[in-house]
């Protein structure tokens, strides 16, 4: 078996690049506390460890076969946004998600070509998307398809209505158009176990505990308790509490596992999906039921989750395993996916050292590498601001003095023949 420590991440610009081979060990410069043990939290922890930070991850639960966490109850098919990537209220958010998803695509593609799939559970599969009318009559879907076709790194793209006939699609389902492309598909049970092992092997410290309440209100105590200089909040649905973010809402998702007795893997339109989890199992699922944050009790409602609609696409498939039906809650936001620094000030009026990464909805895997890259950039900016603050304090320069220096400099430049604007 390959050593997880031989696979490491480096940040180059906005990209998070996966590499393989010996890596020079660097003594950790500081410790970061990551709150949340799902795919977002553990991927971020991996990136932080390879960037030279010591990392402590605190989570109430970890991935297991006995009690699956949200990250395991996911279709885990890579998707180009907008899809189930969360809600986007502006073009900047949508552009960020497109950048994040391509960072993940390239990272997972490299992982597939670096380590055997049976170790990490990631495979490249052909994803087929089907539509009930010509895609040329669906402006949003046509734009999305054209964007996919234009991205060089997305492999195997083909727009072909005859895919409806060549795949095992029920002809009574009413689909008339389709396209396909290769996409990373993740066996979530396998991958989450591998990801956790990778973090541990690289020196990450995992603590099973629940942190209640707004992180900002207990920031100094948490930093002191865990010996950390910064906190990454990757609590998903828990951010309703940990970030006091009431735009976080749960969306119920469900999956049915069926045995695949062929090589055809159709994907239904919109939020109903059929995913080749591994060589013998298909995952059928959908997301449709929005719940109140105060009422997250799950009940068996196969039709409400799109299972019946999804099943109508397939012919010749049968359910797999003793417990084929599982469901869980996706952490959506009413606004955009959040990857940024805490904007609220602490009680003493100083700036927070918390960085948030949550609200990825059903696309935690799709956005995981890209979001982790942005967390590294935000942490670098945070460290620079802290260093600047220390230098100001060390030399006894107050804010009023700094402002007077800047003002004097601007006034002086007005009398100089420079074709620049500084202030």
């Amino acid at each position: 078996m390959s050593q997880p420590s031989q696979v490491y991440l480096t940040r180059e610009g906005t990209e998070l690049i996966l590499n393989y081979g010996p890596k020079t060990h660097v003594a950790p410069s500081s410790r970061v506390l990551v709150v949340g043990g799902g795919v977002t939290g553990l991927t971020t922890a991996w990136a932080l460890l390879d960037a030279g930070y010591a990392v402590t991850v605190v989570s109430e639960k970890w991935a297991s076969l006995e009690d699956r966490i949200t990250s395991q109850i996911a279709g885990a098919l890579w998707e180009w946004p907008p899809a189930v990537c969360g809600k986007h209220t502006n073009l900047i958010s949508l552009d960020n998600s497109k950048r994040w998803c391509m960072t993940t695509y390239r990272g997972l593609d490299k992982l597939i070509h670096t380590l055997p799939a049976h170790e990490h559970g990631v495979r490249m599969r052909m994803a087929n998307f089907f539509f009930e009318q010509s895609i040329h009559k669906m402006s949003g879907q046509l734009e999305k398809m054209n964007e996919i076709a234009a991205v060089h790194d997305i492999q195997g793209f083909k727009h072909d209505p005859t895919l409806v006939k060549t795949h095992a699609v029920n002809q009574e389902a009413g689909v008339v158009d389709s396209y396909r492309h290769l996409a990373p598909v993740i066996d979530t049970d396998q991958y989450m176990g591998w990801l956790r092992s990778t973090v541990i092997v690289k020196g990450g410290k995992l603590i099973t505990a629940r942190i209640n309440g707004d992180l900002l209100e207990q920031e100094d105590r948490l930093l002191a308790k865990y010996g950390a200089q910064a906190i990454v909040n990757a609590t998903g649905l828990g951010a309703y509490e940990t970030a006091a973010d009431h735009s976080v809402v749960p969306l119920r998702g469900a999956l049915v596992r069926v045995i695949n007795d062929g090589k055809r893997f159709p994907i239904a339109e919109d939020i109903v999906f059929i995913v080749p989890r591994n060589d013998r199992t298909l995952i059928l699922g959908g997301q449709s039921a929005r719940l109140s944050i105060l009422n997250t009790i799950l009940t068996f409602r196969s039709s409400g989750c799109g299972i019946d609609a999804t099943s109508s696409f397939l012919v010749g498939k049968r359910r797999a395993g003793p417990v084929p039906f599982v469901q869980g809650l996706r952490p959506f936001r009413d606004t955009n996916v959040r990857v940024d620094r805490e904007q609220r000030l602490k009680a003493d009026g100083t700036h927070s050292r918390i960085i948030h990464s949550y609200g990825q909805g059903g696309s935690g895997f799709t956005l995981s590498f890209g979001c982790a890259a942005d967390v590294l950039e935000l942490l670098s900016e945070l460290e620079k601001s802290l260093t600047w603050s220390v230098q100001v304090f060390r030399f006894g320069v107050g804010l009023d003095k700094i402002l007077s220096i800047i003002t004097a400099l601007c006034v002086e430049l007005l009398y100089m023949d420079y074709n620049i604007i500084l202030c």
Side-chain angles (χ1 to χ4, degrees):
M1 180 175 290
S2 306
Q3 293 295 322
S5 59
Q6 293 286 87
V7 179
Y8 63 95
L9 301 170
T10 56
R11 185 171 64 88
E12 299 179 15
T14 61
E15 281 283 301
L16 198 61
I17 308 298
L18 188 141
N19 309 273
Y20 183 77
K23 184 178 185 295
T24 304
H25 176 74
V26 179
S29 56
S30 58
R31 180 170 293 275
V32 177
L33 170 63
V34 177
V35 185
V39 65
T40 299
L42 289 182
T43 304
T44 301
W46 175 14
L48 289 168
L49 288 162
D50 284 342
Y53 296 95
V55 177
T56 299
V57 185
V58 175
S59 181
E60 183 182 14
K61 292 172 58 177
W62 308 96
S64 71
L65 297 179
E66 294 74 28
D67 187 14
R68 288 184 169 89
I69 63 175
T70 297
S71 291
Q72 291 174 274
I73 308 173
L77 168 72
W78 180 94
E79 292 185 89
W80 179 263
V84 290
C85 300
K87 193 170 183 178
H88 303 284
T89 58
N90 58 59
L91 292 177
I92 294 177
S93 171
L94 186 57
D95 286 345
N96 282 337
S97 288
K98 292 173 182 178
R99 174 171 57 84
W100 291 333
C101 81
M102 285 311 303
T103 295
T104 302
Y105 190 104
R106 287 184 281 265
L108 293 178
D109 186 43
K110 183 69 176 292
L111 180 62
I112 292 167
H113 288 88
T114 301
L115 299 180
H118 69 267
E119 293 187 13
H120 48 69
V122 185
R123 296 167 175 84
M124 194 68 76
R125 298 292 198 221
M126 191 65 75
N128 300 279
F129 297 82
F130 296 94
F131 304 88
E132 294 181 348
Q133 57 181 310
S134 170
I135 196 169
H136 293 285
K137 297 179 180 179
M138 308 168 69
S139 59
Q141 292 294 349
L142 179 61
E143 180 182 2
K144 177 178 174 179
M145 184 188 74
N146 288 337
E147 288 178 347
I148 293 171
V151 178
H152 174 73
D153 288 335
I154 299 178
Q155 307 162 38
F157 172 83
K158 183 179 182 181
H159 175 212
D160 185 1
T162 65
L163 293 173
V164 176
K165 296 182 179 180
T166 57
H167 288 277
V169 177
N170 186 342
Q171 297 302 302
E172 297 180 359
V175 294
V176 299
D177 207 350
S178 57
Y179 68 83
R180 72 182 188 188
H181 64 78
L182 284 170
V185 176
I186 299 172
D187 184 326
T188 54
D189 292 337
Q190 184 76 19
Y191 184 76
M192 289 303 297
W194 179 85
L195 188 57
R196 181 182 177 185
S197 297
T198 298
V199 170
I200 293 173
V201 167
K202 291 176 177 292
K205 184 178 182 181
L206 273 56
I207 297 176
T208 304
R210 177 179 175 85
I211 298 178
N212 296 304
D214 189 344
L215 296 181
L216 182 68
E217 296 178 355
Q218 52 190 318
E219 179 178 335
D220 291 340
R221 181 173 62 81
L222 290 172
L223 292 174
K225 179 178 180 179
Y226 294 103
Q229 283 68 53
I231 299 173
V232 175
N233 177 20
T235 54
L237 193 59
Y240 182 93
E241 179 181 0
T242 58
D245 185 350
H246 293 177
S247 72
V248 175
V249 294
L251 198 65
R252 183 168 63 94
L255 302 174
V256 168
R257 301 181 176 207
V258 299
I259 293 174
N260 169 51
D261 43 17
K263 296 182 179 179
R264 297 162 179 162
F265 307 112
I267 305 298
E269 203 321 56
D270 286 339
I271 58 177
V272 177
F273 52 82
I274 305 170
V275 179
R277 174 55 53 81
N278 51 49
D279 290 337
R280 282 192 47 78
T281 303
L282 288 176
I283 298 296
L284 283 66
Q287 299 171 287
S288 60
R290 175 179 171 136
L291 303 177
S292 164
I293 194 72
L294 301 177
N295 180 19
T296 56
I297 298 174
L298 295 172
T299 57
F300 184 96
R301 288 177 57 220
S302 64
S303 60
C305 292
I307 302 302
D308 293 343
T310 307
S311 299
S312 70
F313 275 82
L314 295 179
V315 178
K317 302 291 183 287
R318 55 192 176 89
R319 288 193 175 190
V323 187
F325 183 88
V326 291
Q327 55 181 333
L329 301 174
R330 308 289 190 255
F332 274 74
R333 292 183 82 218
D334 276 334
T335 52
N336 303 307
V337 178
R338 185 178 188 185
V339 183
D340 64 11
R341 288 181 58 180
E342 175 60 64
Q343 300 300 309
R344 297 172 296 163
L345 298 178
K346 295 193 295 183
D348 61 3
T350 59
H351 292 282
S352 171
R353 300 185 187 186
I354 298 173
I355 297 171
H356 298 286
S357 183
Y358 63 84
Q360 287 86 356
S363 292
F365 287 93
T366 295
L367 306 179
S368 58
F369 279 57
C371 289
D374 275 21
V375 169
L376 286 179
E377 175 62 23
L378 290 167
L379 183 57
S380 176
E381 294 174 359
L382 172 61
E383 289 181 322
K384 290 176 182 177
S385 68
L386 293 175
T387 301
W388 184 84
S389 298
V390 170
Q391 292 297 328
V392 169
F393 176 79
R394 179 179 300 169
F395 291 104
V397 180
L399 181 61
D400 55 343
K401 180 64 174 177
I402 294 173
L403 291 175
S404 66
I405 293 173
I406 294 175
T407 302
L409 179 59
C410 291
V411 171
E412 184 176 347
L413 285 173
L414 290 175
Y415 295 95
M416 302 177 67
D417 188 20
Y418 287 130
N419 294 319
I420 61 173
I421 299 177
L422 183 63
C423 300

